[in-house]
């Protein structure tokens, strides 16, 4: 079997879906804040603290469900820190996002040392994995059946988050208010919209989804936590939502591109390609996507500027 045949299989699609799920959950969470004109750089830290909490709490209670709930609450708590810093203390959201990431990285290493005596990884005794969902007879459907069978519930949640996010953003009062705040906060405030509250709600949504993303990342296969295990996936999620212009469907497409690159990189390593070159693949694609997104934003700004009427001087 050739290297290409080893890569293009239903098994690879299974791995792609597994890797896309945390990226997609985090990217959709970031899309909510971006719709409110907040680029949430703290997605990485929220994912990381969610991953640690999922393993530590889930293994302590010997329950994957408890671990997921704890991860969501941890992501929510860190998003509260982000909201307090940006909305109430009026700090720059990029700086606060970097601080949140550093806080999550340092706190997770500190808790690893305190709880397990090892700052690098949780011990084998602290291990918990998510249960898999069997499709039964539907698993025999060619390609898709194999790819979707025995995935975790969080993979299905990630896929469902796209239509749900579209529904919330474009069919609810909150979504209308959030998009109005993102377009022009002053005009939204003049219309009676509580700008700070709407932005805070979008940040909390991102924290919840990032916590779930961390749980999927840590509990889907390994069932353990290692320091800095997100390895830049939060920033890749930021790239996905940027490339997708914070629109759920486009963000999902971008997340699938990055997830596919990650999965293909794994398969390239298995097929015997240089592992360092394979590991570079997702990040190279991320950089290219950000360049394309930058060009798109420039065109959009140019179109808006040309559409704005020039005031006439009497």
């Amino acid at each position: 079997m050739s290297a290409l045949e080893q890569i293009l299989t239903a098994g690879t699609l299974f791995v792609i879906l597994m890797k896309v799920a945390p990226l997609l959950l985090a990217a959709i969470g970031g899309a909510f804040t971006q719709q409110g004109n907040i680029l949430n750089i703290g997605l990485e830290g929220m994912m990381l603290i969610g991953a640690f909490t999922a393993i530590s709490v889930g293994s302590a209670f010997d329950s994957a469900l408890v671990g997921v709930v704890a991860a969501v609450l941890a992501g929510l708590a860190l998003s509260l820190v982000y909201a307090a810093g940006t909305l109430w203390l009026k700090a720059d959201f990029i700086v606060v996002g970097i601080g949140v990431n550093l806080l999550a990285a340092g706190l997770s290493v500190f808790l690893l040392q305190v709880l397990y005596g090892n700052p690098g990884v949780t011990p084998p005794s602290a291990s918990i994995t998510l249960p898999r969902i069997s499709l039964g007879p539907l698993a025999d459907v060619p390609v898709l059946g194999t790819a979707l069978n025995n995935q975790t519930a969080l993979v299905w949640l990630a896929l469902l988050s796209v239509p749900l996010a579209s529904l919330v953003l474009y069919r609810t009062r909150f979504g209308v208010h959030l998009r109005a705040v993102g377009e022009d906060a002053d005009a939204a405030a003049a219309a009676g919209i509580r700008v700070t509250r709407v932005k805070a709600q979008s940040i909390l949504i991102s924290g919840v989804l990032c916590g779930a993303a961390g749980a999927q990342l840590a509990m889907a296969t390994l069932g353990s936590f290692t320091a800095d295990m997100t390895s830049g996936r939060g920033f890749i999620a930021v790239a996905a939502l940027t490339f997708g212009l914070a629109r759920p469907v486009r963000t999902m497409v971008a997340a699938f591109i990055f997830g596919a690159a990650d999965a293909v990189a794994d398969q390239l390593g298995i097929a015997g390609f240089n592992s360092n070159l394979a590991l570079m693949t997702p990040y190279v694609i991320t950089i290219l996507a950000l360049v394309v997104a930058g060009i798109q934003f420039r065109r959009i700004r140019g179109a808006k500027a040309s559409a704005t009427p020039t005031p006439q001087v009497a």
Side-chain angles (χ1 to χ4, degrees), residues 55 112 115-116 118 121-127 223-225:
I55 296 299
L112 277 173
L115 297 177
Y116 306 111
N118 185 338
V121 64
T122 51
S125 58
S127 179
S224 62
F225 177 84

Side-chain angles (χ1 to χ4, degrees), residues 34-61:
Q34 184 62 43
Q35 289 282 357
N37 199 29
I38 296 176
L39 182 61
N40 190 350
I41 299 296
L43 300 180
E44 174 88 358
M46 295 174 195
M47 285 180 66
L48 185 62
I49 204 67
F52 172 79
T53 307
I55 296 299
S56 60
V57 177
S59 62
F61 286 88

